[in-house]
Amino acid sequence: MSRKLLFLIRKEFIQFTRIRAMLALTFGVPVIQLVILGFAISGDVERIPSAIIDLDNTPVSRSIVNKLETTRYLDIQQHPGDMREIIPLMKNDEIILAVTIPKGFERDLMRGERPELSVNADAQNTNVAVIGAGYIRRIMQSWAQSFPGGKTPQTHVIPIGVSSRIRYNEELKNIYYMVPGIIVLLVTIITMFLTALAIVRERELGTLEQLMVTPISRIEMILGKTIPFAIVGFVEMCFAYAVARVVYHIPVAGSLPLFFAIALLFIFCTLGTGMFISTIAHTQQQALFTAWFFMIFFILMSGFFLPLDNMPEAALAMTYINPLRYFLVIVRDIFLKGAGAAELVREIVSLAVLAFSVNVLAVLRFNKRLD
């Protein structure tokens, strides 16, 4: 290795270590991601939000309820008194599975008949619904084998059955769950990255200072830098929606005007995030690294791949400041469940609060950087 090359390498290391922001992005970000995401992201499907309807209310049915309540695979959150209460609970995303013990279950079991439990599953997330129904079958097989007369040496017959009913994705197509999520990710990337990079690029080229001496207010300048990307993001959303309908035949059970209205609110939130990133980055390279850091957290802690209920409580608390968490629920519920504004009021309000907060913070920091 030549001496000139060694000096060049040494110069690059010195230049690199002098930039504190780059050191933090290079070494701090991976450590934070490993520590937080390592605990938060798990492929195991556990603690599925569920409900049990005991219409029999006998010692046998109560034994089954106890068996289902003590497993780590289910999180029994509701005990409805009637099967008609299942639909509102599923539509509001309070439960994914509902187990119903029919009236006369103990009587039929004692007669040697084969009574059936019914399982209703919200199949928005096909993987969770199928695995959850499988868990219930295995749990009931274990219970039946310990029940007196439940397993004879000759036939090994399990004396009960489990029937399943799938809702909101009867064809069990995982693409119905993933494509709406991909639409959200595309819009997030376009609006957040473009806004962050464009403003930092203006600062690098020195044209931001030139804009400041023109007869426009700071608010007008901020709007002028963000509105074009809002339009681009909305056009991208419309294009992605058209592809989802034409290519993937994704059903849309809800209101399209409601979907696009909330999409504008979400775009307002991601634009604010991009502008905030531009206030803490000095170069386009730093802005790109910082935006990617935000994006990794947004994706993995939004419920895009895995249910949020699998996360530890500390990690779950961090998802409440993630706009993707709310918009993913909104898009999937409008597309597959036909949810209206009344069912989505919690998510809409949360998204509005985040959008307002991040934009106020970004504008304050942006004005401080210009002073």
Side-chain angles (χ1 to χ4, degrees):
M1 188 178 294
S2 68
R3 190 175 180 182
K4 293 179 182 179
L5 180 57
L6 288 173
F7 274 115
L8 184 59
I9 293 173
R10 182 169 176 268
K11 189 272 292 184
E12 289 298 325
F13 271 113
I14 292 173
Q15 185 174 339
F16 172 76
T17 53
R18 283 177 177 174
I19 306 174
R20 294 185 178 179
M22 287 302 296
L23 285 174
L25 288 171
T26 305
F27 298 106
V29 169
V31 171
I32 294 172
Q33 289 177 338
L34 282 172
V35 171
I36 297 177
L37 299 180
F39 286 108
I41 307 303
S42 171
D44 299 330
V45 179
E46 298 181 351
R47 303 197 307 272
I48 301 172
S50 307
I52 299 178
I53 305 173
D54 185 1
L55 300 178
D56 198 35
N57 196 27
T58 59
V60 169
S61 66
R62 287 193 289 271
S63 172
I64 293 174
V65 170
N66 181 67
K67 181 75 173 180
L68 293 172
E69 286 181 331
T70 54
T71 177
R72 73 177 189 273
Y73 300 112
L74 304 179
D75 180 12
I76 308 300
Q77 299 180 351
Q78 303 283 344
H79 290 82
D82 191 280
M83 292 184 66
R84 289 174 293 183
E85 299 179 35
I86 292 176
I87 301 302
L89 291 173
M90 285 190 174
K91 200 165 186 179
N92 293 329
D93 297 311
E94 295 184 45
I95 61 171
I96 295 177
L97 299 174
V99 182
T100 303
I101 305 173
K103 191 171 183 62
F105 183 90
E106 181 182 71
R107 179 199 61 211
D108 294 341
L109 189 63
M110 295 305 180
R111 289 177 178 176
E113 300 176 8
R114 187 180 174 84
E116 281 194 344
L117 273 69
S118 64
V119 177
N120 283 265
D122 175 358
Q124 270 194 112
N125 189 334
T126 308
N127 184 55
V128 174
V130 172
I131 291 176
Y135 284 157
I136 293 172
R137 287 190 177 89
R138 290 202 296 271
I139 292 168
M140 294 316 302
Q141 286 176 356
S142 173
W143 176 88
Q145 289 173 6
S146 64
F147 183 77
K151 180 177 178 182
T152 62
Q154 294 80 14
T155 60
H156 299 272
V157 174
I158 304 299
I160 62 174
V162 178
S163 63
S164 300
R165 180 177 179 183
I166 304 299
R167 298 182 183 273
Y168 306 120
N169 186 3
E170 289 81 2
E171 300 178 44
L172 291 176
K173 289 185 176 180
N174 197 46
I175 198 171
Y176 289 176
Y177 181 77
M178 296 302 295
V179 170
I182 293 172
I183 293 175
V184 175
L185 294 187
L186 289 175
V187 174
T188 304
I189 292 171
I190 290 294
T191 52
M192 187 172 71
F193 277 65
L194 286 181
T195 305
L197 291 173
I199 295 177
V200 173
R201 183 172 181 272
E202 291 272 17
R203 187 179 293 114
E204 277 189 313
L205 296 176
T207 53
L208 198 61
E209 287 73 14
Q210 294 177 11
L211 285 173
M212 289 302 301
V213 300
T214 59
I216 60 173
S217 67
R218 292 185 176 182
I219 294 297
E220 288 175 328
M221 185 177 67
I222 291 171
L223 291 175
K225 296 298 295 180
T226 54
I227 288 177
F229 300 121
I231 296 173
V232 170
F234 192 75
V235 171
E236 181 81 17
M237 175 76 75
C238 295
F239 176 74
Y241 166 77
V243 171
R245 291 286 291 154
V246 174
V247 177
Y248 298 106
H249 307 290
I250 304 297
V252 180
S255 167
L256 279 180
L258 177 64
F259 164 66
F260 285 116
I262 301 175
L264 283 174
L265 178 62
F266 176 71
I267 289 171
F268 181 60
C269 188
T270 56
L271 288 173
T273 305
M275 187 164 60
F276 173 76
I277 291 170
S278 73
T279 66
I280 59 178
H282 298 276
T283 66
Q284 291 184 78
Q285 187 181 33
Q286 292 177 17
L288 189 62
F289 271 101
T290 307
W292 184 246
F293 169 73
F294 274 84
M295 199 65 204
I296 290 294
F297 274 97
F298 281 173
I299 294 173
L300 296 181
M301 304 191 74
S302 66
F304 178 78
F305 293 110
L306 301 168
L308 295 177
D309 300 283
N310 285 10
M311 295 183 182
E313 291 297 326
L316 186 61
M318 297 179 63
T319 67
Y320 290 109
I321 58 173
N322 182 1
L324 262 71
R325 168 195 171 115
Y326 304 107
F327 195 49
L328 275 174
V329 172
I330 290 169
V331 174
R332 286 167 172 164
D333 280 7
I334 289 177
F335 276 35
L336 297 178
K337 294 184 177 180
E343 290 86 10
L344 299 171
V345 63
R346 179 178 56 189
E347 285 75 20
I348 294 172
V349 170
S350 300
L351 196 58
V353 170
L354 284 177
F356 176 79
S357 302
V358 73
N359 276 277
V360 169
L361 179 61
V363 169
L364 291 176
R365 283 192 57 87
F366 191 79
N367 286 333
K368 186 177 179 180
R369 287 289 299 272
L370 293 177
D371 290 334

